[in-house]
């Protein structure tokens, strides 16, 4: 049976289908699609408001203790448009959809969705504040083991992350290293067999496991242990004032402050561990302010619990500021992470359909909207085609993710 000319609608629908199966990480984040733009189309800069969960304190005894509901929200901006452009003759367009999908669409969509995944992962720099690692006596990072991943799960629980569908996102190198050591760990025989055949784990230690080549490698700044101190007591908020730094900090570095412990999200009691803060922007040598997340929110008067409390106390003047986990200056590690899907949201909206093109199509499925445009060039009998996606992402609850470091 002769092939018929492929239509733009067929190709666009196939592109959307391929998107959902092209990248393990993208498949497992919270997806949003706003049909408000289904008619006119969205543009770069369109903003979406997203509410954040409320927090309350608990009173003891028969007396009613009424507290305000402090609504918090954040803004996700559709700020990025990415596209892949190809050009094929009318003869090429007579291929079957399967052939066209395999030869043209699959590699195009794979690279497009991979670029989006890299973008979102780069956003974890300066976002994820929880860090676990398997380390030797000198604090050198080693290959993660079972205790490392269990520690990541404990961190998620202490941050009240939703308990369903926790994920592990490993780099291919980390995946290869840990499968052999963790394969069969408390798994049924069928799972062990599957790990042996595929070289991959799927469900272990409370997580669904996946691997993605877009995982990043992080290198810390030059700040050394014992070389930075707090300047001024009683600080709160998203900035930490320090004495002039003897080294730099890179966005994504994790630091701790002496005497400032993290509290459990539910009980507001100390976890017995120093609170980990992520540096949210590059900090130069001699700087006196470090932008951080989470905000320093200490207890109220007399140690009373407060809404959204994060720490047991404000930093004391002169308290030590150190890279977390004893890391030395300029340490590089693979930035794998455990997360609840609700930690990060990817929002995609319909792009506007322009006039004056040969053909245009837009398709939406399961939170993904893609637009395809084709223009005919009569001089060369070519049909340049572009495949576009307009998106925005936000690490809405980055505390619901945990870095699982691995040696480079």
């Amino acid at each position: 049976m002769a092939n018929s000319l492929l239509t733009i609608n067929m190709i666009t629908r196939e592109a959307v289908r391929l998107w959902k199966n092209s990248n393990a990480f993208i498949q497992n984040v919270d997806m949003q699609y706003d049909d408000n733009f289904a008619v006119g189309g969205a543009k770069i800069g369109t903003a979406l408001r997203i509410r954040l969960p409320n927090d309350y304190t608990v009173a003891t005894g028969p007396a009613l203790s009424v507290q305000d509901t402090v609504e918090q929200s954040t803004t996700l901006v559709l700020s990025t448009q990415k596209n892949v452009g190809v050009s094929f003759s009318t003869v090429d367009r007579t291929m079957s959809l399967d052939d066209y999908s395999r030869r043209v669409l699959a590699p195009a969509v794979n690279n497009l969705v991979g670029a989006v995944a890299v973008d979102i992962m780069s956003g974890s720099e300066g976002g994820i504040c929880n860090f676990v690692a398997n380390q030797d006596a000198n604090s050198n990072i080693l290959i993660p083991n079972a205790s490392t991943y269990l520690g990541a799960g404990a961190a998620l629980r202490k941050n009240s992350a939703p308990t369903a569908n926790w994920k592990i996102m490993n780099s291919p190198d980390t995946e290869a290293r840990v499968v052999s050591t963790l394969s069969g760990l408390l798994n049924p025989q069928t799972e062990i067999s599957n790990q042996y055949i595929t070289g991959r784990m799927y469900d272990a230690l409370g997580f669904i496991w996946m691997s993605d080549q877009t995982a990043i490698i992080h290198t810390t700044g030059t700040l050394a242990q014992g070389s930075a101190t707090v300047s001024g007591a009683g600080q709160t908020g998203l900035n930490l004032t320090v004495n002039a730094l003897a080294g730099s900090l890179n966005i994504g570095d994790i630091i701790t402050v002496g005497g400032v412990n993290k509290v459990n999200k539910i009980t507001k009691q100390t976890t017995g561990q120093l609170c980990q803060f992520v540096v949210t922007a590059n900090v130069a040598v001699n700087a006196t302010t470090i932008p951080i997340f989470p905000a320093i929110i200490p207890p109220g008067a007399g140690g009373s619990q407060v809404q959204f409390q994060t720490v047991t106390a404000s930093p004391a003047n002169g308290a030590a500021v150190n890279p977390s986990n004893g890391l030395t200056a300029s340490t590089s590690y693979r930035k794998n992470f455990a997360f609840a899907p609700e930690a990060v949201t990817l929002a995609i909206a319909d792009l506007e359909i322009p006039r004056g093109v040969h053909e245009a199509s837009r398709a939406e499925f399961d939170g993904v909207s893609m637009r395809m445009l084709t223009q005919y060039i009569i001089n060369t009998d070519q049909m340049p085609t572009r495949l576009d996606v307009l998106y925005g992402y936000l690490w809405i609850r980055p505390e619901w993710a945990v870095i699982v470091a691995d040696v480079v």
Side-chain angles (χ1 to χ4, degrees):
M1 180 178 179
N3 294 330
S4 59
L5 187 67
L6 295 176
T7 68
I8 193 75
N9 289 334
M10 294 167 59
I11 296 170
T12 309
R13 286 194 298 268
E14 177 68 2
V16 173
R17 185 192 69 81
L18 289 169
W19 171 287
K20 293 298 292 184
N21 298 300
S22 295
N23 184 278
F25 176 55
I26 292 294
Q27 291 176 33
N28 289 279
V29 300
D30 181 37
M31 294 289 298
Q32 301 286 332
Y33 168 72
D34 196 329
D35 59 7
N36 289 329
F37 309 109
V39 179
K43 296 177 175 63
I44 289 178
T46 300
L48 307 176
R49 299 284 291 179
I50 299 175
R51 288 183 177 177
L52 298 176
N54 292 315
D55 187 40
Y56 298 98
T57 59
V58 178
T60 300
L64 178 62
S65 177
V66 178
Q67 56 194 296
D68 293 333
T69 295
V70 182
E71 291 279 4
Q72 293 189 333
S73 65
T74 187
T75 301
L76 188 157
V77 180
L78 300 172
S79 58
T80 307
Q81 181 178 350
K82 291 188 184 293
N83 73 83
V84 173
V86 295
S87 182
F88 289 91
S89 69
T90 54
V91 174
D92 292 318
R93 289 280 293 272
T94 63
M95 289 186 291
S96 70
L97 182 59
D98 287 346
D99 287 340
Y100 192 88
S101 177
R102 176 175 52 84
R103 288 181 49 195
V104 181
L105 277 184
V109 173
N110 184 62
N111 287 358
L112 180 60
V113 69
V116 175
V118 170
D119 194 14
I120 299 173
M121 287 191 184
S122 69
S124 69
E125 296 279 67
I128 300 177
C129 55
N130 303 304
F131 179 96
V132 295
N134 179 23
Q135 296 173 279
D136 64 17
N138 295 316
S139 298
N140 296 310
I141 295 175
L142 307 175
I143 298 171
N145 56 22
S147 294
T148 315
Y149 291 105
L150 290 171
L156 290 178
R157 287 185 179 87
K158 286 184 285 190
N159 279 284
S160 299
T163 56
N165 299 316
W166 287 355
K167 315 289 183 181
I168 290 287
M169 211 298 300
N170 283 326
S171 74
D173 295 288
T174 301
E175 184 88 348
R177 291 167 176 172
V178 301
V179 165
S180 61
T181 58
L182 300 185
S183 61
L185 182 64
L186 303 178
N187 273 349
Q189 187 63 41
T190 54
E191 294 290 340
I192 298 173
S193 176
N194 186 55
Q195 290 169 18
Y196 178 78
I197 294 170
T198 64
R200 299 177 59 193
M201 289 198 302
Y202 176 70
D203 189 350
L205 301 175
F207 296 95
I208 303 299
W209 292 61
M210 55 189 173
S211 175
D212 200 294
Q213 69 270 28
T214 52
I216 62 177
I217 294 176
H218 179 80
T219 301
T220 65
T222 61
L223 186 70
Q225 295 285 328
S227 64
T229 54
V230 171
S231 177
Q235 297 184 43
T236 61
L238 291 167
N239 288 289
L240 179 65
T241 301
V242 294
N243 296 302
L245 295 176
S248 64
L249 288 167
N250 291 336
I251 182 172
D253 285 358
I254 311 294
I255 62 171
T256 58
V257 181
V260 180
N261 280 8
K262 183 179 181 62
V263 297
N264 182 285
K265 279 285 185 179
I266 299 296
T267 67
K268 306 296 191 293
Q269 299 299 310
T270 180
T271 62
Q273 300 168 327
L274 291 176
C275 186
Q276 295 175 325
F277 300 95
V278 62
V279 179
T280 59
N282 291 332
V283 181
V285 177
N286 293 322
T288 56
T289 300
I290 305 174
I292 57 172
F293 178 86
I296 299 172
I297 305 177
S304 60
Q305 298 178 3
V306 299
Q307 293 176 345
F308 304 105
Q309 184 179 335
T310 57
V311 295
T312 54
S314 292
N317 184 47
V321 178
N322 286 311
S324 184
N325 289 62
L327 295 184
T328 57
S330 303
T331 297
S332 294
Y333 57 86
R334 299 187 191 280
K335 201 168 189 178
N336 313 292
F337 52 88
F339 68 104
E342 297 87 349
V344 56
T345 291
L346 170 64
I348 299 177
D350 292 323
L351 275 163
E352 190 169 0
I353 297 292
R355 297 180 179 181
V357 295
H358 175 71
E359 55 185 3
S361 179
R362 192 172 59 200
E364 182 274 327
F365 173 71
D366 199 16
V368 178
S369 177
M370 303 185 79
R371 182 191 67 183
M372 183 170 280
L373 306 175
T374 298
Q375 188 67 285
Y376 181 68
I377 302 177
I378 193 170
N379 291 340
T380 59
D381 193 32
Q382 292 289 309
M383 301 185 73
T385 298
R386 61 181 295 159
L387 182 64
D388 290 81
V389 61
L390 174 64
Y391 70 94
Y393 74 87
L394 189 64
W395 286 84
I396 295 173
R397 297 301 300 263
E399 66 271 27
W400 290 350
V402 184
I403 297 166
V404 182
D406 182 23
V407 61
V408 175

